[in-house]
């Protein structure tokens, strides 16, 4: 049995605001295990969104630093399944394994969460091999934040894109300055979709906010647009002059 160095700290849970999505998502309790930069940032953002967050780490100083920010905190070694049981993590609908550098601990904790039948498990991986192991274990969602951010920044550095998000099914969302081929004529008449295989879904003119694009929208030189489509198609379209 794990000897807890820091008793489970509780404070009044934040009440969900009308916009927190509590009605839409039901149980909004999540355990974040591993409170390094990734885990602590995630935990704080979930708190901001009105979730009830249990933050767990083996480092006493880290837990003490975050104890006033999160709903619950505990110092525990979650490679021991008894630690998870004492914390009641098996009663949560979601858990995140934020540990990356200690691959063995990451795998053990993920296995314990699966054994506890937590229905929605996310885990951070530091390499594709690490991610593949987690997926084979049965982890529901595996993220490679450093790798994914590296790919994203590479797109921004090497091209005309202002932002780039790629999804698992070879589909991407791109923010870019409108190329000349898309300007001066209504989108419904420009043939952008048929010629380039992309769809313009939003537009922002200098000094104005983003608005939805319609078939009647006429893009002007200098407008910033949001484009969706297959990754290669949006990459090619963003590179047009």
């Amino acid at each position: 049995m794990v000897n807890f160095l820091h008793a489970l700290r509780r404070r009044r849970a934040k009440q969900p605001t009308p916009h927190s999505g509590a009605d839409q998502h039901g149980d909004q309790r999540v355990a974040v295990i591993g409170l390094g930069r990734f885990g602590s940032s995630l935990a704080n953002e979930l708190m901001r969104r009105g979730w009830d967050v249990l933050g767990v780490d083996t480092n006493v100083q880290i837990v003490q630093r975050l104890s006033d920010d999160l709903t619950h905190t505990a110092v525990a070694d979650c490679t021991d399944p008894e630690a998870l049981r004492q914390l009641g993590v098996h009663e949560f609908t979601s858990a995140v394994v934020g540990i990356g550098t200690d691959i063995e601990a990451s795998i053990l904790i993920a296995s314990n969460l699966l054994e506890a039948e937590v229905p929605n498990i996310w885990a951070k991986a530091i390499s594709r091999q690490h991610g593949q192991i987690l997926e084979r274990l049965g982890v529901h969602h595996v993220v490679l934040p450093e790798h994914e951010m590296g790919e994203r920044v590479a797109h921004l550095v090497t091209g005309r894109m202002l932002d780039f998000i790629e999804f698992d099914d070879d589909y991407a969302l791109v923010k870019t300055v409108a190329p000349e081929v898309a300007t001066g004529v209504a989108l419904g008449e420009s043939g952008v979709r048929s010629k380039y295989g992309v769809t313009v879904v939003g537009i922002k003119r200098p000094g104005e906010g983003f608005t939805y694009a319609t078939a009647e929208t006429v893009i002007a030189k200098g407008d910033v647009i949001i484009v969706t489509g297959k990754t290669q198609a949006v990459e090619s379209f963003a590179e047009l002059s």
Side-chain angles (χ1 to χ4, degrees), residues 32-37 39-40 43 55-57 62-63 65-66 70 73-74:
V32 179
I33 303 169
L35 298 174
R37 285 181 296 178
S40 60
V56 186
D57 202 282
I62 290 176
V63 171
R65 176 169 53 84
L66 292 172
L70 307 182
T73 57

Side-chain angles (χ1 to χ4, degrees), residues 162-177:
L162 304 176
D163 208 346
F164 174 88
I165 301 173
E166 187 172 20
F167 303 94
D168 289 340
D169 54 353
D170 191 34
Y171 193 82
L173 182 72
V174 168
K175 175 183 175 184
T176 186
V177 176

Side-chain angles (χ1 to χ4, degrees), residues 45-156:
E45 178 62 19
L46 288 167
M47 285 292 296
R48 190 185 70 80
R49 293 169 179 258
W51 280 62
D52 186 346
V53 179
L54 165 64
V56 186
D57 202 282
T58 56
N59 187 300
V60 179
Q61 287 74 29
I62 290 176
V63 171
Q64 289 176 339
R65 176 169 53 84
L66 292 172
S67 61
D68 289 330
D69 299 327
L70 307 182
T71 317
H72 320 282
T73 57
V75 175
D77 180 1
C78 292
T79 61
D80 183 343
E82 179 62 17
L84 291 176
R85 190 195 66 78
Q86 289 187 27
L87 291 170
V89 174
H90 58 284
E91 299 176 354
F92 283 54
T93 56
S94 298
V96 179
V97 183
I99 298 168
T101 52
D102 189 340
I103 295 177
E104 181 180 357
S106 166
I107 292 169
L108 285 172
I109 293 168
S111 297
N112 291 339
L113 290 169
L114 288 163
E115 185 68 24
E117 298 184 346
V118 176
N120 196 27
I121 302 169
W122 294 75
K124 172 187 175 181
I126 60 171
S127 67
R128 290 197 180 276
Q129 292 81 1
H130 183 194
Q132 288 171 354
I133 293 170
L134 292 169
E135 288 174 347
R136 287 170 185 165
L137 282 175
V139 171
H140 311 113
H141 311 280
V142 175
V143 294
L144 291 89
E146 287 86 359
H147 177 80
E148 291 164 2
M149 181 57 71
E151 285 189 340
R152 179 169 174 246
V153 173
H155 278 90
L156 307 185

